[in-house]
Amino acid sequence: MPHIALSNDLPGITGLMAHRPDTAGPLGDLADALLRAPSSLDPGERELIAAYVSRLNDTEFCSSSHGAFAAAQLAGGQELVGAVLADPGTAPVSGRLRALLSVAAEVRNAARPVSDEAIALARAEGANDTDLHDTVLIAAAFCMYNRYVSGLATELPKDDEYYNHAAQRIVADGYRGGILQDD
């Protein structure tokens, strides 16, 4: 049961955002900027970074949501997402993405500079400054989103199909247009 009384019965961050539209707007705008705006990383790759950080933070709602959003946009679909969430070191992703996931894990682990070794490996695998910037910002932001969702003990969806429906909305309409729609 959530720690606060919500004005709806929506799961996860969706319920929190519907409850507080004044804070939902900026949070949705940030998610759109991080995960959907033009970038050197594909939207599916950015969603995968968000899902991975959320998995490391044990935030099931965010990990499952962003995993579904990534699966909807990546050629490997849910199988690829599952492999990355289980072990990015053996998952069938590019060396560049694997190295960026390692950078994201370091950001998630502590508020200190990413190690020179992780940066050097990412650069050796073809990551550029924008890739590194966006990865660090996504990882940092998802630590905040995860703490928001977990800290208030939000509910999980009653049906896992929720994530697939949400993925369709997010891919079609973005975070401002898609997250607050109710099926």
Side-chain angles (χ1 to χ4, degrees), residues 5 14 20 25 30 39-41 47 53 63 70 88 95 98 101 104 110 139 144 158 180:
T14 311
R20 287 291 308 269
L30 178 59
S39 171
S40 55
L41 295 169
E47 291 285 2
V53 168
S63 179
R98 184 174 291 109
L101 289 164
M144 176 198 62
K158 293 173 181 50
L180 294 178

Side-chain angles (χ1 to χ4, degrees), residues 40-41 94-97 99-100 118-132:
S40 55
L41 295 169
S94 69
R96 172 177 156 264
L97 184 54
L100 292 172
I119 297 296
L121 177 60
R123 288 192 186 286
E125 291 291 348
N128 62 33
D129 285 348
T130 302
D131 297 336
L132 291 165

Side-chain angles (χ1 to χ4, degrees), residues 76-95:
Q78 192 57 50
E79 187 174 318
L80 174 65
V81 171
V84 167
L85 296 182
D87 182 4
T90 61
V93 296
S94 69

Side-chain angles (χ1 to χ4, degrees), residues 40-93:
S40 55
L41 295 169
D42 294 334
E45 292 174 319
R46 290 178 275 164
E47 291 285 2
L48 190 56
I49 292 166
Y52 179 60
V53 168
S54 298
R55 173 61 56 94
L56 293 175
N57 284 328
D58 293 321
T59 306
E60 182 62 32
F61 179 83
C62 296
S63 179
S64 295
S65 294
H66 292 282
F69 304 165
Q73 298 176 85
L74 294 169
Q78 192 57 50
E79 187 174 318
L80 174 65
V81 171
V84 167
L85 296 182
D87 182 4
T90 61
V93 296

Side-chain angles (χ1 to χ4, degrees), residues 6 8 10-29 31 145 148 175-176 179-180:
L6 297 177
N8 62 75
L10 297 171
I13 199 167
T14 311
L16 296 173
M17 293 177 113
H19 181 71
R20 287 291 308 269
D22 56 327
T23 57
L27 291 172
D29 288 343
Y145 286 120
Y148 181 39
Y175 285 89
R176 283 288 284 210
I179 201 161
L180 294 178

Side-chain angles (χ1 to χ4, degrees), residues 15 31 115:
S115 69

